[in-house]
Amino acid sequence: MPRKHQKRWDDRDPDLRDLLRLPVGERPDLDAHRADARPAGPDDKDAARTATAELGERLAGLQERLWAAGTAGDRRRVLLVLQGMDTSGKGGTVKHVIGHLDPAGCRVRAFKAPTEEERRHDFLWRVRRVLPRQGEIGIFDRSYYEDVLVARVRGLAPPREIESRYGWINDFEHEVTDAGTTVVKCFLHLSYGEQKRRLLARLDNPDKHWKFGPGDIEDRELWPDFQEAYEIAMERCSTPAAPWYRVPADQKWYRNWAISRLLLEHLEELDPRYPKADFDVAECRERLLRAP
Amino acid sequence: MPRKHQKRWDDRDPDLRDLLRLPVGERPDLDAHRADARPAGPDDKDAARTATAELGERLAGLQERLWAAGTAGDRRRVLLVLQGMDTSGKGGTVKHVIGHLDPAGCRVRAFKAPTEEERRHDFLWRVRRVLPRQGEIGIFDRSYYEDVLVARVRGLAPPREIESRYGWINDFEHEVTDAGTTVVKCFLHLSYGEQKRRLLARLDNPDKHWKFGPGDIEDRELWPDFQEAYEIAMERCSTPAAPWYRVPADQKWYRNWAISRLLLEHLEELDPRYPKADFDVAECRERLLRAP
């Protein structure tokens, strides 16, 4: 009988990780890449939806195994980090990709501007408290990278402090990967033009106004600074243990497919297994049947 | 244009809350109720699946409004408490009902035996830390009721202490409802016979062994004591502000439909609204269009 969790896609398909992973130690040139590229996978919306739903089922199966293994002491877990400019689809990814998983095994956390209490601690303090536990899939909608992105662009901390943070992030990520966490960092690459369309669409729909703030326009006016901050972060914090993936995000359906597939490839490599019974199955069975 | 969130089912349909709510101050006789009853709703699996999926879409729409309202200061939130014997379907409810919602707005917490740290505090301490924030839907898979259920049956605390807990639970639930929480407490009512079938099914499938423990059989051997403990808890802690609902759980499809519907009725009554823009929409629009 074939193992249910074995790699099911055609092995001639390229590994999407290899296509989207940013090289370690190089500064990426975001302008040189298209945000509507499709380096592999479905070519249109309908095909992508079908493929993403199918990936979702396989992800759910692997998630259950990961969770089950965790109950028996397997320390492994996954942390999906989502970063990108406003409207790049971090929330949409949570809804449409993570929405396929069992909510019991997911730990979703959106990082806003730090509270007063959080500001009294180092920038990783609030992150450590919400890391996924063994067996879980944690999802960060924004993350500690904000502390070298918006913090850099808007000067929210002294330059020397920000310079130090890249190294602290690398240390931190080594620490969590050593503890059994597979860190999947996705930069949702949105184009300047597509962001304009999406922001206008929010303004044009009163039911979307709550998602909008004038700060979104201010950030947009600083677009080149943000792109540079992203490039620097990805240059300094793409490590073999925790690389960055650049996910083309101008097409929502492609973004959902690509992140589903990236997650799947990581989970298939983890290959979590249902744990063996640590009790006497036959004896339990008999005891159950013996009772009235 | 009809409001999207208005009650869409036929108004002649009974309110499921009225059919499943336990009367305040009366001890329910669980044996007098069938765990495979269907007091309203679909009659078979296929119809239930379709209806539950449709309820799921409506729930997701209302959840988004609740969340959106929360971002603008609406303090309301929902807490779904799931209790029931082993295999009654608490986890299945999270997967199949809560699975329809946006994970970003859900806070799922499963309560296991308390850790050493948790034991050093009063029994509500660990609960307070994971309550839903405004706009969220919190889901408890087991809850503080374990402290008057298993704790009572297995004598995990002195009888006097347990006697006090019912009052503390009522005080606590008043406090959280006063803070804007709609508390929906569901007892998943499973029959003794159906539990046997489900436990055997777990034993017969190695991929399900991780869900099983010999303690499940020990609890089953104490079935009458647990039923009594549930009856006492529901008698003492069914209040107008936070009533208990008895959900027939022998048929998984009915359980999923019923809890979806209960949630929907509560959310429709809350009738959360998208907040109005607190910024100048026309000015933002112009500013966006002005930039290159």
Side-chain angles (χ1 to χ4, degrees):
Chain A
M1 209 173 82
R3 295 214 327 264
K4 271 189 208 152
H5 54 283
Q6 74 189 155
K7 195 169 172 178
R8 274 172 52 196
W9 69 78
D10 191 319
D11 274 327
R12 287 165 304 181
D13 280 358
D15 191 303
L16 193 64
R17 291 174 293 183
D18 292 337
L19 298 175
L20 300 184
R21 191 189 298 108
L22 292 176
V24 170
E26 280 178 35
R27 181 165 311 187
D29 178 2
L30 289 176
D31 280 340
H33 294 278
R34 294 192 60 92
D36 61 357
R38 293 193 304 269
D43 282 324
D44 63 56
K45 198 171 179 170
D46 285 346
R49 281 200 176 156
T50 307
T52 303
E54 200 232 332
L55 289 172
E57 279 181 39
R58 290 158 65 189
L59 282 171
L62 284 155
Q63 179 202 17
E64 185 174 277
R65 285 168 190 266
L66 184 71
W67 175 261
T71 64
D74 189 330
R75 290 166 67 239
R76 294 178 300 169
R77 64 205 81 180
V78 173
L79 174 62
L80 176 68
V81 174
L82 301 171
Q83 284 287 165
M85 297 295 288
D86 285 320
T87 76
S88 61
K90 302 176 291 292
T93 301
V94 173
K95 192 169 171 176
H96 297 290
V97 177
I98 303 308
H100 285 111
L101 304 181
D102 186 337
C106 296
R107 194 175 284 262
V108 183
R109 172 67 194 268
F111 289 92
K112 313 277 179 201
T115 63
E116 213 174 298
E117 191 197 5
E118 288 168 350
R119 243 185 286 265
R120 280 198 293 269
H121 298 269
D122 78 282
F123 74 104
L124 292 168
W125 177 78
R126 63 175 183 162
V127 177
R128 292 181 189 279
R129 308 173 78 207
V130 292
L131 286 169
R133 318 278 175 89
Q134 65 186 37
E136 287 184 344
I137 298 181
I139 301 96
F140 284 178
D141 172 346
R142 302 186 190 272
S143 69
Y144 44 95
Y145 278 95
E146 291 297 323
D147 297 286
V148 293
L149 294 166
V150 67
R152 182 183 188 100
V153 172
R154 292 191 177 275
L156 304 180
R160 257 186 69 185
E161 155 87 12
I162 287 172
E163 282 305 306
S164 308
R165 287 180 181 171
Y166 300 100
W168 293 336
I169 286 176
N170 288 335
D171 291 346
F172 170 71
E173 289 179 349
H174 268 110
E175 182 191 319
V176 298
T177 53
D178 278 355
T181 311
T182 297
V183 181
V184 185
K185 301 185 292 192
C186 293
F187 169 62
L188 309 191
H189 188 197
L190 187 73
S191 69
Y192 187 67
E194 179 63 17
Q195 192 196 44
K196 185 182 199 166
R197 278 185 287 278
R198 293 188 186 179
L199 287 173
L200 283 173
R202 284 187 181 175
L203 284 173
D204 289 343
N205 181 353
D207 285 358
K208 305 274 184 200
H209 285 170
W210 65 278
K211 292 188 174 191
F212 188 93
D216 298 352
I217 301 185
E218 289 158 27
D219 281 354
R220 178 172 170 78
E221 287 164 354
L222 296 166
W223 186 274
D225 301 314
F226 271 103
Q227 299 294 294
E228 189 191 27
Y230 271 108
E231 289 176 357
I232 295 170
M234 293 190 278
E235 177 189 4
R236 302 206 188 160
C237 301
S238 259
T239 58
W244 269 103
Y245 297 97
R246 190 192 63 85
V247 177
D250 267 13
Q251 286 153 321
K252 295 175 182 178
W253 50 266
Y254 189 78
R255 172 204 77 208
N256 289 339
W257 174 82
I259 296 178
S260 301
R261 168 84 181 238
L262 283 174
L263 265 183
L264 186 79
E265 290 174 2
H266 282 95
L267 278 164
E268 296 223 348
E269 190 173 312
L270 288 179
D271 192 17
R273 307 290 179 104
Y274 287 118
K276 290 212 170 62
D278 58 356
F279 53 87
D280 185 332
V281 177
E283 194 255 323
C284 282
R285 211 177 183 287
E286 206 176 302
R287 198 164 149 200
L288 250 176
L289 289 169
R290 211 164 43 223
Chain B
M1 209 175 80
R3 295 213 327 264
K4 271 191 209 148
H5 55 282
Q6 74 187 159
K7 194 169 171 175
R8 274 171 53 197
W9 70 77
D10 191 319
D11 274 328
R12 286 166 305 183
D13 279 357
D15 191 301
L16 193 64
R17 291 175 293 182
D18 293 336
L19 298 174
L20 299 184
R21 191 188 298 109
L22 293 176
V24 170
E26 280 177 36
R27 179 163 313 188
D29 178 2
L30 290 176
D31 280 339
H33 293 278
R34 293 192 60 93
D36 60 356
R38 293 192 305 268
D43 282 323
D44 63 57
K45 199 170 180 170
D46 285 346
R49 281 199 177 159
T50 307
T52 302
E54 200 233 332
L55 288 172
E57 279 183 39
R58 291 156 67 188
L59 281 172
L62 284 155
Q63 179 202 18
E64 184 173 279
R65 286 169 189 268
L66 184 71
W67 175 262
T71 65
D74 189 330
R75 291 166 66 239
R76 293 178 301 169
R77 64 205 79 179
V78 173
L79 174 62
L80 176 67
V81 175
L82 300 172
Q83 285 286 166
M85 297 296 287
D86 284 320
T87 75
S88 62
K90 302 177 291 292
T93 301
V94 172
K95 191 168 174 178
H96 297 290
V97 176
I98 303 308
H100 285 109
L101 304 181
D102 187 336
C106 296
R107 193 175 285 262
V108 183
R109 172 67 195 268
F111 288 92
K112 313 277 178 198
T115 63
E116 212 175 298
E117 191 197 5
E118 287 168 350
R119 244 185 285 265
R120 280 198 294 269
H121 298 269
D122 78 281
F123 74 104
L124 292 168
W125 178 78
R126 64 175 183 162
V127 178
R128 292 182 189 279
R129 308 173 77 208
V130 292
L131 286 169
R133 316 279 175 90
Q134 64 186 37
E136 289 184 343
I137 297 181
I139 301 95
F140 285 177
D141 171 346
R142 303 187 188 271
S143 69
Y144 44 95
Y145 277 95
E146 291 296 324
D147 297 285
V148 293
L149 294 167
V150 67
R152 182 184 187 100
V153 172
R154 292 192 177 273
L156 304 179
R160 257 186 71 184
E161 156 86 11
I162 287 172
E163 282 306 306
S164 308
R165 287 180 180 171
Y166 300 100
W168 292 337
I169 286 177
N170 288 335
D171 290 347
F172 170 72
E173 289 180 350
H174 268 110
E175 183 191 320
V176 298
T177 53
D178 278 355
T181 311
T182 298
V183 180
V184 185
K185 301 186 291 192
C186 293
F187 167 62
L188 308 191
H189 187 198
L190 187 74
S191 68
Y192 187 67
E194 179 62 16
Q195 193 197 44
K196 184 181 198 167
R197 277 185 288 279
R198 293 189 186 179
L199 288 174
L200 283 172
R202 284 188 181 175
L203 284 175
D204 289 343
N205 181 351
D207 285 359
K208 304 275 183 199
H209 284 171
W210 65 279
K211 292 188 174 192
F212 190 93
D216 299 353
I217 302 184
E218 289 157 27
D219 280 355
R220 179 173 169 77
E221 286 164 354
L222 296 166
W223 185 274
D225 301 315
F226 271 103
Q227 298 295 294
E228 188 190 28
Y230 270 109
E231 289 177 357
I232 295 169
M234 293 190 276
E235 177 188 6
R236 301 203 189 164
C237 301
S238 258
T239 58
W244 269 103
Y245 296 97
R246 189 191 64 86
V247 177
D250 267 11
Q251 285 152 321
K252 295 174 182 178
W253 50 267
Y254 189 78
R255 172 204 77 206
N256 289 339
W257 174 82
I259 296 178
S260 301
R261 168 84 181 239
L262 282 174
L263 265 184
L264 186 79
E265 290 174 1
H266 282 95
L267 278 164
E268 297 223 349
E269 189 173 312
L270 288 179
D271 192 18
R273 306 291 179 101
Y274 286 117
K276 288 211 172 62
D278 58 357
F279 52 87
D280 185 333
V281 177
E283 195 255 324
C284 283
R285 211 176 183 287
E286 208 175 301
R287 199 166 147 197
L288 250 176
L289 290 170
R290 212 165 43 223

